[in-house]
mmCIF file of all heavy atoms in Angstrom:
data_model
loop_
_atom_site.group_PDB
_atom_site.id
_atom_site.type_symbol
_atom_site.label_atom_id
_atom_site.label_comp_id
_atom_site.label_asym_id
_atom_site.label_seq_id
_atom_site.Cartn_x
_atom_site.Cartn_y
_atom_site.Cartn_z
ATOM 1 N N VAL A 1 -1.677 -8.424 16.116
ATOM 2 C CA VAL A 1 -1.138 -7.204 15.546
ATOM 3 C C VAL A 1 -0.128 -7.545 14.431
ATOM 4 O O VAL A 1 -0.120 -6.932 13.374
ATOM 5 C CB VAL A 1 -0.469 -6.340 16.658
ATOM 6 C CG1 VAL A 1 0.319 -5.181 16.018
ATOM 7 C CG2 VAL A 1 -1.507 -5.800 17.603
ATOM 8 N N GLY A 2 0.703 -8.519 14.694
ATOM 9 C CA GLY A 2 1.678 -8.938 13.703
ATOM 10 C C GLY A 2 1.069 -9.455 12.431
ATOM 11 O O GLY A 2 1.416 -9.013 11.337
ATOM 12 N N ALA A 3 0.106 -10.356 12.567
ATOM 13 C CA ALA A 3 -0.536 -10.935 11.390
ATOM 14 C C ALA A 3 -1.287 -9.899 10.589
ATOM 15 O O ALA A 3 -1.194 -9.848 9.382
ATOM 16 C CB ALA A 3 -1.477 -12.063 11.821
ATOM 17 N N ARG A 4 -2.061 -9.065 11.284
ATOM 18 C CA ARG A 4 -2.866 -8.093 10.561
ATOM 19 C C ARG A 4 -2.018 -7.015 9.901
ATOM 20 O O ARG A 4 -2.272 -6.595 8.767
ATOM 21 C CB ARG A 4 -3.860 -7.429 11.521
ATOM 22 C CG ARG A 4 -4.883 -6.597 10.772
ATOM 23 C CD ARG A 4 -5.685 -5.703 11.680
ATOM 24 N NE ARG A 4 -6.460 -4.779 10.828
ATOM 25 C CZ ARG A 4 -5.936 -3.709 10.254
ATOM 26 N NH1 ARG A 4 -4.672 -3.401 10.437
ATOM 27 N NH2 ARG A 4 -6.675 -2.933 9.462
ATOM 28 N N SER A 5 -0.975 -6.551 10.592
ATOM 29 C CA SER A 5 -0.084 -5.550 10.006
ATOM 30 C C SER A 5 0.628 -6.099 8.771
ATOM 31 O O SER A 5 0.732 -5.366 7.770
ATOM 32 C CB SER A 5 0.957 -5.106 11.058
ATOM 33 O OG SER A 5 0.337 -4.523 12.186
ATOM 34 N N ALA A 6 1.058 -7.312 8.823
ATOM 35 C CA ALA A 6 1.687 -7.955 7.672
ATOM 36 C C ALA A 6 0.722 -8.037 6.493
ATOM 37 O O ALA A 6 1.063 -7.722 5.356
ATOM 38 C CB ALA A 6 2.196 -9.356 8.042
ATOM 39 N N ALA A 7 -0.527 -8.459 6.799
ATOM 40 C CA ALA A 7 -1.529 -8.629 5.753
ATOM 41 C C ALA A 7 -1.841 -7.305 5.068
ATOM 42 O O ALA A 7 -1.889 -7.216 3.820
ATOM 43 C CB ALA A 7 -2.789 -9.233 6.338
ATOM 44 N N MET A 8 -2.022 -6.236 5.840
ATOM 45 C CA MET A 8 -2.372 -4.933 5.254
ATOM 46 C C MET A 8 -1.214 -4.330 4.479
ATOM 47 O O MET A 8 -1.400 -3.796 3.387
ATOM 48 C CB MET A 8 -2.811 -3.988 6.364
ATOM 49 C CG MET A 8 -4.175 -4.281 6.962
ATOM 50 S SD MET A 8 -5.513 -4.224 5.738
ATOM 51 C CE MET A 8 -5.421 -2.525 5.216
ATOM 52 N N ALA A 9 -0.016 -4.401 5.032
ATOM 53 C CA ALA A 9 1.140 -3.816 4.346
ATOM 54 C C ALA A 9 1.403 -4.550 3.035
ATOM 55 O O ALA A 9 1.663 -3.939 1.987
ATOM 56 C CB ALA A 9 2.386 -3.928 5.234
ATOM 57 N N LEU A 10 1.285 -5.886 3.045
ATOM 58 C CA LEU A 10 1.488 -6.695 1.846
ATOM 59 C C LEU A 10 0.401 -6.408 0.821
ATOM 60 O O LEU A 10 0.697 -6.223 -0.384
ATOM 61 C CB LEU A 10 1.499 -8.170 2.191
ATOM 62 C CG LEU A 10 1.759 -9.152 1.060
ATOM 63 C CD1 LEU A 10 3.132 -8.893 0.437
ATOM 64 C CD2 LEU A 10 1.625 -10.576 1.537
ATOM 65 N N ASN A 11 -0.836 -6.332 1.270
ATOM 66 C CA ASN A 11 -1.963 -6.079 0.364
ATOM 67 C C ASN A 11 -1.802 -4.752 -0.335
ATOM 68 O O ASN A 11 -1.980 -4.636 -1.578
ATOM 69 C CB ASN A 11 -3.270 -6.127 1.126
ATOM 70 C CG ASN A 11 -4.453 -5.865 0.242
ATOM 71 O OD1 ASN A 11 -4.867 -6.721 -0.539
ATOM 72 N ND2 ASN A 11 -5.060 -4.692 0.370
ATOM 73 N N ASN A 12 -1.469 -3.692 0.415
ATOM 74 C CA ASN A 12 -1.298 -2.376 -0.191
ATOM 75 C C ASN A 12 -0.138 -2.292 -1.152
ATOM 76 O O ASN A 12 -0.154 -1.541 -2.125
ATOM 77 C CB ASN A 12 -1.176 -1.311 0.918
ATOM 78 C CG ASN A 12 -2.474 -1.126 1.682
ATOM 79 O OD1 ASN A 12 -3.552 -1.436 1.180
ATOM 80 N ND2 ASN A 12 -2.383 -0.603 2.890
ATOM 81 N N CYS A 13 0.887 -3.077 -0.832
ATOM 82 C CA CYS A 13 2.081 -3.093 -1.710
ATOM 83 C C CYS A 13 1.745 -3.785 -3.054
ATOM 84 O O CYS A 13 2.063 -3.294 -4.135
ATOM 85 C CB CYS A 13 3.223 -3.801 -1.017
ATOM 86 S SG CYS A 13 4.807 -3.682 -1.870
ATOM 87 N N ILE A 14 1.077 -4.933 -2.951
ATOM 88 C CA ILE A 14 0.730 -5.710 -4.145
ATOM 89 C C ILE A 14 -0.296 -4.963 -5.021
ATOM 90 O O ILE A 14 -0.248 -5.038 -6.243
ATOM 91 C CB ILE A 14 0.230 -7.104 -3.738
ATOM 92 C CG1 ILE A 14 1.373 -7.927 -3.138
ATOM 93 C CG2 ILE A 14 -0.393 -7.839 -4.935
ATOM 94 C CD1 ILE A 14 0.940 -9.232 -2.526
ATOM 95 N N ASP A 15 -1.214 -4.271 -4.371
ATOM 96 C CA ASP A 15 -2.283 -3.594 -5.130
ATOM 97 C C ASP A 15 -1.928 -2.153 -5.532
ATOM 98 O O ASP A 15 -2.766 -1.423 -6.051
ATOM 99 C CB ASP A 15 -3.556 -3.539 -4.284
ATOM 100 C CG ASP A 15 -4.375 -4.826 -4.395
ATOM 101 O OD1 ASP A 15 -4.048 -5.652 -5.260
ATOM 102 O OD2 ASP A 15 -5.320 -4.992 -3.614
ATOM 103 N N LEU A 16 -0.718 -1.759 -5.308
ATOM 104 C CA LEU A 16 -0.334 -0.346 -5.507
ATOM 105 C C LEU A 16 -0.631 0.134 -6.929
ATOM 106 O O LEU A 16 -1.097 1.234 -7.113
ATOM 107 C CB LEU A 16 1.155 -0.148 -5.175
ATOM 108 C CG LEU A 16 1.687 1.272 -5.308
ATOM 109 C CD1 LEU A 16 0.877 2.227 -4.420
ATOM 110 C CD2 LEU A 16 3.160 1.339 -4.946
ATOM 111 N N LYS A 17 -0.360 -0.720 -7.905
ATOM 112 C CA LYS A 17 -0.540 -0.230 -9.308
ATOM 113 C C LYS A 17 -2.012 0.034 -9.591
ATOM 114 O O LYS A 17 -2.354 0.930 -10.429
ATOM 115 C CB LYS A 17 0.027 -1.254 -10.301
ATOM 116 C CG LYS A 17 -0.767 -2.516 -10.473
ATOM 117 C CD LYS A 17 -0.191 -3.342 -11.607
ATOM 118 C CE LYS A 17 -1.017 -4.580 -11.918
ATOM 119 N NZ LYS A 17 -0.492 -5.337 -13.094
ATOM 120 N N TYR A 18 -2.904 -0.673 -8.952
ATOM 121 C CA TYR A 18 -4.327 -0.411 -9.127
ATOM 122 C C TYR A 18 -4.801 0.746 -8.226
ATOM 123 O O TYR A 18 -5.626 1.553 -8.636
ATOM 124 C CB TYR A 18 -5.147 -1.669 -8.772
ATOM 125 C CG TYR A 18 -4.917 -2.814 -9.728
ATOM 126 C CD1 TYR A 18 -4.236 -3.976 -9.333
ATOM 127 C CD2 TYR A 18 -5.355 -2.750 -11.075
ATOM 128 C CE1 TYR A 18 -4.024 -5.001 -10.206
ATOM 129 C CE2 TYR A 18 -5.134 -3.793 -11.945
ATOM 130 C CZ TYR A 18 -4.476 -4.920 -11.513
ATOM 131 O OH TYR A 18 -4.236 -5.926 -12.374
ATOM 132 N N ASP A 19 -4.261 0.823 -7.031
ATOM 133 C CA ASP A 19 -4.641 1.902 -6.140
ATOM 134 C C ASP A 19 -4.297 3.269 -6.697
ATOM 135 O O ASP A 19 -4.983 4.267 -6.491
ATOM 136 C CB ASP A 19 -3.939 1.752 -4.772
ATOM 137 C CG ASP A 19 -4.480 0.560 -3.992
ATOM 138 O OD1 ASP A 19 -5.531 -0.001 -4.403
ATOM 139 O OD2 ASP A 19 -3.869 0.191 -2.976
ATOM 140 N N LYS A 20 -3.205 3.343 -7.487
ATOM 141 C CA LYS A 20 -2.801 4.616 -8.117
ATOM 142 C C LYS A 20 -3.800 5.058 -9.172
ATOM 143 O O LYS A 20 -3.863 6.259 -9.513
ATOM 144 C CB LYS A 20 -1.429 4.485 -8.714
ATOM 145 C CG LYS A 20 -0.283 4.439 -7.718
ATOM 146 C CD LYS A 20 1.074 4.328 -8.412
ATOM 147 C CE LYS A 20 2.213 4.407 -7.413
ATOM 148 N NZ LYS A 20 3.563 4.304 -8.097
ATOM 149 N N LEU A 21 -4.581 4.133 -9.680
ATOM 150 C CA LEU A 21 -5.578 4.442 -10.706
ATOM 151 C C LEU A 21 -6.959 4.685 -10.149
ATOM 152 O O LEU A 21 -7.867 5.102 -10.871
ATOM 153 C CB LEU A 21 -5.639 3.287 -11.729
ATOM 154 C CG LEU A 21 -4.332 2.930 -12.442
ATOM 155 C CD1 LEU A 21 -4.506 1.700 -13.302
ATOM 156 C CD2 LEU A 21 -3.863 4.098 -13.320
ATOM 157 N N GLN A 22 -7.138 4.389 -8.862
ATOM 158 C CA GLN A 22 -8.455 4.492 -8.219
ATOM 159 C C GLN A 22 -8.573 5.840 -7.494
ATOM 160 O O GLN A 22 -7.867 6.067 -6.508
ATOM 161 C CB GLN A 22 -8.618 3.332 -7.254
ATOM 162 C CG GLN A 22 -9.873 3.356 -6.389
ATOM 163 C CD GLN A 22 -11.171 3.354 -7.157
ATOM 164 O OE1 GLN A 22 -11.634 4.448 -7.503
ATOM 165 N NE2 GLN A 22 -11.736 2.182 -7.379
ATOM 166 N N PRO A 23 -9.411 6.732 -7.970
ATOM 167 C CA PRO A 23 -9.534 8.082 -7.338
ATOM 168 C C PRO A 23 -9.839 8.004 -5.824
ATOM 169 O O PRO A 23 -9.357 8.881 -5.075
ATOM 170 C CB PRO A 23 -10.679 8.735 -8.093
ATOM 171 C CG PRO A 23 -10.675 8.044 -9.448
ATOM 172 C CD PRO A 23 -10.285 6.625 -9.153
ATOM 173 N N ARG A 24 -10.620 7.036 -5.382
ATOM 174 C CA ARG A 24 -10.958 6.952 -3.962
ATOM 175 C C ARG A 24 -9.729 6.721 -3.084
ATOM 176 O O ARG A 24 -9.759 6.972 -1.886
ATOM 177 C CB ARG A 24 -11.962 5.809 -3.708
ATOM 178 C CG ARG A 24 -13.389 6.160 -4.070
ATOM 179 C CD ARG A 24 -14.371 5.200 -3.482
ATOM 180 N NE ARG A 24 -14.185 3.845 -3.979
ATOM 181 C CZ ARG A 24 -13.775 2.832 -3.207
ATOM 182 N NH1 ARG A 24 -13.481 3.054 -1.956
ATOM 183 N NH2 ARG A 24 -13.642 1.634 -3.695
ATOM 184 N N PHE A 25 -8.669 6.187 -3.665
ATOM 185 C CA PHE A 25 -7.475 5.844 -2.905
ATOM 186 C C PHE A 25 -6.336 6.847 -3.051
ATOM 187 O O PHE A 25 -5.183 6.570 -2.724
ATOM 188 C CB PHE A 25 -6.958 4.452 -3.288
ATOM 189 C CG PHE A 25 -7.981 3.359 -3.093
ATOM 190 C CD1 PHE A 25 -7.914 2.175 -3.839
ATOM 191 C CD2 PHE A 25 -8.991 3.484 -2.172
ATOM 192 C CE1 PHE A 25 -8.840 1.173 -3.669
ATOM 193 C CE2 PHE A 25 -9.946 2.473 -1.976
ATOM 194 C CZ PHE A 25 -9.852 1.300 -2.714
ATOM 195 N N ALA A 26 -6.676 8.023 -3.554
ATOM 196 C CA ALA A 26 -5.631 9.025 -3.865
ATOM 197 C C ALA A 26 -4.834 9.439 -2.655
ATOM 198 O O ALA A 26 -3.664 9.836 -2.775
ATOM 199 C CB ALA A 26 -6.294 10.249 -4.521
ATOM 200 N N ASN A 27 -5.418 9.351 -1.462
ATOM 201 C CA ASN A 27 -4.730 9.798 -0.237
ATOM 202 C C ASN A 27 -4.058 8.676 0.506
ATOM 203 O O ASN A 27 -3.537 8.915 1.604
ATOM 204 C CB ASN A 27 -5.721 10.554 0.662
ATOM 205 C CG ASN A 27 -6.213 11.849 0.042
ATOM 206 O OD1 ASN A 27 -5.437 12.568 -0.598
ATOM 207 N ND2 ASN A 27 -7.472 12.161 0.261
ATOM 208 N N ARG A 28 -4.071 7.474 -0.019
ATOM 209 C CA ARG A 28 -3.422 6.395 0.678
ATOM 210 C C ARG A 28 -1.899 6.632 0.732
ATOM 211 O O ARG A 28 -1.306 7.126 -0.245
ATOM 212 C CB ARG A 28 -3.689 5.044 -0.007
ATOM 213 C CG ARG A 28 -5.119 4.539 0.234
ATOM 214 C CD ARG A 28 -5.275 3.105 -0.265
ATOM 215 N NE ARG A 28 -6.563 2.578 0.173
ATOM 216 C CZ ARG A 28 -6.966 1.329 -0.054
ATOM 217 N NH1 ARG A 28 -6.157 0.499 -0.716
ATOM 218 N NH2 ARG A 28 -8.150 0.894 0.372
ATOM 219 N N PRO A 29 -1.265 6.328 1.853
ATOM 220 C CA PRO A 29 0.146 6.647 2.035
ATOM 221 C C PRO A 29 1.048 6.101 0.932
ATOM 222 O O PRO A 29 2.021 6.756 0.553
ATOM 223 C CB PRO A 29 0.481 6.037 3.383
ATOM 224 C CG PRO A 29 -0.823 6.076 4.129
ATOM 225 C CD PRO A 29 -1.864 5.788 3.109
ATOM 226 N N MET A 30 0.762 4.908 0.426
ATOM 227 C CA MET A 30 1.643 4.370 -0.602
ATOM 228 C C MET A 30 1.376 5.032 -1.958
ATOM 229 O O MET A 30 2.285 5.087 -2.797
ATOM 230 C CB MET A 30 1.467 2.835 -0.700
ATOM 231 C CG MET A 30 2.021 2.089 0.486
ATOM 232 S SD MET A 30 2.268 0.306 0.163
ATOM 233 C CE MET A 30 3.664 0.379 -0.973
ATOM 234 N N VAL A 31 0.165 5.498 -2.186
ATOM 235 C CA VAL A 31 -0.160 6.199 -3.420
ATOM 236 C C VAL A 31 0.495 7.575 -3.438
ATOM 237 O O VAL A 31 1.036 8.014 -4.457
ATOM 238 C CB VAL A 31 -1.690 6.351 -3.574
ATOM 239 C CG1 VAL A 31 -2.026 7.203 -4.799
ATOM 240 C CG2 VAL A 31 -2.327 4.966 -3.697
ATOM 241 N N THR A 32 0.496 8.255 -2.278
ATOM 242 C CA THR A 32 1.099 9.594 -2.197
ATOM 243 C C THR A 32 2.616 9.523 -2.130
ATOM 244 O O THR A 32 3.312 10.523 -2.350
ATOM 245 C CB THR A 32 0.584 10.336 -0.959
ATOM 246 O OG1 THR A 32 0.985 9.637 0.242
ATOM 247 C CG2 THR A 32 -0.921 10.489 -0.989
ATOM 248 N N GLY A 33 3.175 8.347 -1.797
ATOM 249 C CA GLY A 33 4.601 8.184 -1.670
ATOM 250 C C GLY A 33 5.095 8.358 -0.244
ATOM 251 O O GLY A 33 6.301 8.282 0.013
ATOM 252 N N ALA A 34 4.187 8.588 0.683
ATOM 253 C CA ALA A 34 4.585 8.726 2.085
ATOM 254 C C ALA A 34 5.178 7.446 2.631
ATOM 255 O O ALA A 34 6.035 7.463 3.520
ATOM 256 C CB ALA A 34 3.394 9.166 2.936
ATOM 257 N N VAL A 35 4.755 6.344 2.087
ATOM 258 C CA VAL A 35 5.306 5.023 2.396
ATOM 259 C C VAL A 35 5.851 4.400 1.113
ATOM 260 O O VAL A 35 5.085 4.284 0.138
ATOM 261 C CB VAL A 35 4.261 4.077 3.058
ATOM 262 C CG1 VAL A 35 4.826 2.682 3.197
ATOM 263 C CG2 VAL A 35 3.819 4.612 4.401
ATOM 264 N N LYS A 36 7.114 4.039 1.099
ATOM 265 C CA LYS A 36 7.737 3.439 -0.068
ATOM 266 C C LYS A 36 7.464 1.938 -0.111
ATOM 267 O O LYS A 36 7.310 1.310 0.966
ATOM 268 C CB LYS A 36 9.232 3.709 -0.056
ATOM 269 C CG LYS A 36 9.641 5.161 0.099
ATOM 270 C CD LYS A 36 9.111 6.031 -1.034
ATOM 271 C CE LYS A 36 9.539 7.458 -0.872
ATOM 272 N NZ LYS A 36 8.968 8.332 -1.924
ATOM 273 N N PRO A 37 7.442 1.337 -1.296
ATOM 274 C CA PRO A 37 7.210 -0.110 -1.386
ATOM 275 C C PRO A 37 8.212 -0.921 -0.586
ATOM 276 O O PRO A 37 7.823 -1.902 0.087
ATOM 277 C CB PRO A 37 7.372 -0.389 -2.897
ATOM 278 C CG PRO A 37 6.913 0.895 -3.540
ATOM 279 C CD PRO A 37 7.411 1.978 -2.624
ATOM 280 N N TRP A 38 9.494 -0.542 -0.564
ATOM 281 C CA TRP A 38 10.458 -1.294 0.202
ATOM 282 C C TRP A 38 10.215 -1.194 1.695
ATOM 283 O O TRP A 38 10.479 -2.151 2.454
ATOM 284 C CB TRP A 38 11.890 -0.837 -0.131
ATOM 285 C CG TRP A 38 12.284 0.519 0.342
ATOM 286 C CD1 TRP A 38 12.209 1.694 -0.313
ATOM 287 C CD2 TRP A 38 12.805 0.856 1.656
ATOM 288 N NE1 TRP A 38 12.638 2.753 0.450
ATOM 289 C CE2 TRP A 38 13.032 2.251 1.682
ATOM 290 C CE3 TRP A 38 13.144 0.095 2.770
ATOM 291 C CZ2 TRP A 38 13.545 2.910 2.794
ATOM 292 C CZ3 TRP A 38 13.642 0.778 3.906
ATOM 293 C CH2 TRP A 38 13.851 2.148 3.914
ATOM 294 N N GLU A 39 9.649 -0.055 2.106
ATOM 295 C CA GLU A 39 9.321 0.104 3.519
ATOM 296 C C GLU A 39 8.159 -0.816 3.887
ATOM 297 O O GLU A 39 8.140 -1.425 4.971
ATOM 298 C CB GLU A 39 8.956 1.554 3.806
ATOM 299 C CG GLU A 39 10.104 2.517 3.672
ATOM 300 C CD GLU A 39 9.662 3.981 3.825
ATOM 301 O OE1 GLU A 39 8.446 4.271 3.635
ATOM 302 O OE2 GLU A 39 10.522 4.782 4.170
ATOM 303 N N ALA A 40 7.191 -0.911 2.979
ATOM 304 C CA ALA A 40 6.033 -1.788 3.248
ATOM 305 C C ALA A 40 6.454 -3.261 3.296
ATOM 306 O O ALA A 40 5.988 -4.039 4.135
ATOM 307 C CB ALA A 40 4.979 -1.604 2.143
ATOM 308 N N ILE A 41 7.394 -3.636 2.432
ATOM 309 C CA ILE A 41 7.905 -5.019 2.435
ATOM 310 C C ILE A 41 8.649 -5.282 3.727
ATOM 311 O O ILE A 41 8.511 -6.363 4.335
ATOM 312 C CB ILE A 41 8.799 -5.255 1.196
ATOM 313 C CG1 ILE A 41 7.919 -5.212 -0.057
ATOM 314 C CG2 ILE A 41 9.498 -6.611 1.297
ATOM 315 C CD1 ILE A 41 8.742 -5.253 -1.353
ATOM 316 N N LEU A 42 9.469 -4.326 4.141
ATOM 317 C CA LEU A 42 10.235 -4.491 5.380
ATOM 318 C C LEU A 42 9.271 -4.633 6.571
ATOM 319 O O LEU A 42 9.480 -5.474 7.446
ATOM 320 C CB LEU A 42 11.146 -3.293 5.580
ATOM 321 C CG LEU A 42 12.170 -3.389 6.730
ATOM 322 C CD1 LEU A 42 13.109 -4.561 6.519
ATOM 323 C CD2 LEU A 42 12.956 -2.092 6.871
ATOM 324 N N LEU A 43 8.222 -3.822 6.586
ATOM 325 C CA LEU A 43 7.222 -3.909 7.674
ATOM 326 C C LEU A 43 6.511 -5.253 7.646
ATOM 327 O O LEU A 43 6.239 -5.846 8.692
ATOM 328 C CB LEU A 43 6.220 -2.765 7.560
ATOM 329 C CG LEU A 43 5.103 -2.781 8.598
ATOM 330 C CD1 LEU A 43 5.667 -2.655 10.004
ATOM 331 C CD2 LEU A 43 4.086 -1.655 8.340
ATOM 332 N N THR A 44 6.210 -5.740 6.429
ATOM 333 C CA THR A 44 5.591 -7.033 6.298
ATOM 334 C C THR A 44 6.426 -8.145 6.891
ATOM 335 O O THR A 44 5.937 -8.983 7.694
ATOM 336 C CB THR A 44 5.320 -7.367 4.816
ATOM 337 O OG1 THR A 44 4.446 -6.380 4.246
ATOM 338 C CG2 THR A 44 4.676 -8.753 4.639
#
């Protein structure tokens, strides 16, 4: 759980600038702002 959660949170944080441009990812929590980058880093 720890390894996978870290991997996903980090991946979504690093790819955020691309995810914001990808229509399929419009509802992702980091794209909508429901999860802030600093929160994702803290979770990582």
Side-chain angles (χ1 to χ4, degrees):
V1 171
R4 191 192 170 282
S5 298
M8 288 300 299
L10 181 63
N11 180 73
N12 290 338
C13 190
I14 292 172
D15 277 350
L16 182 57
K17 73 173 185 176
Y18 294 111
D19 290 349
K20 286 182 175 179
L21 302 174
Q22 173 60 272
R24 281 196 299 112
F25 301 155
N27 293 322
R28 286 190 171 183
M30 291 197 69
V31 174
T32 63
V35 172
K36 307 298 182 184
W38 70 266
E39 293 175 338
I41 292 172
L42 189 61
L43 178 60
T44 298

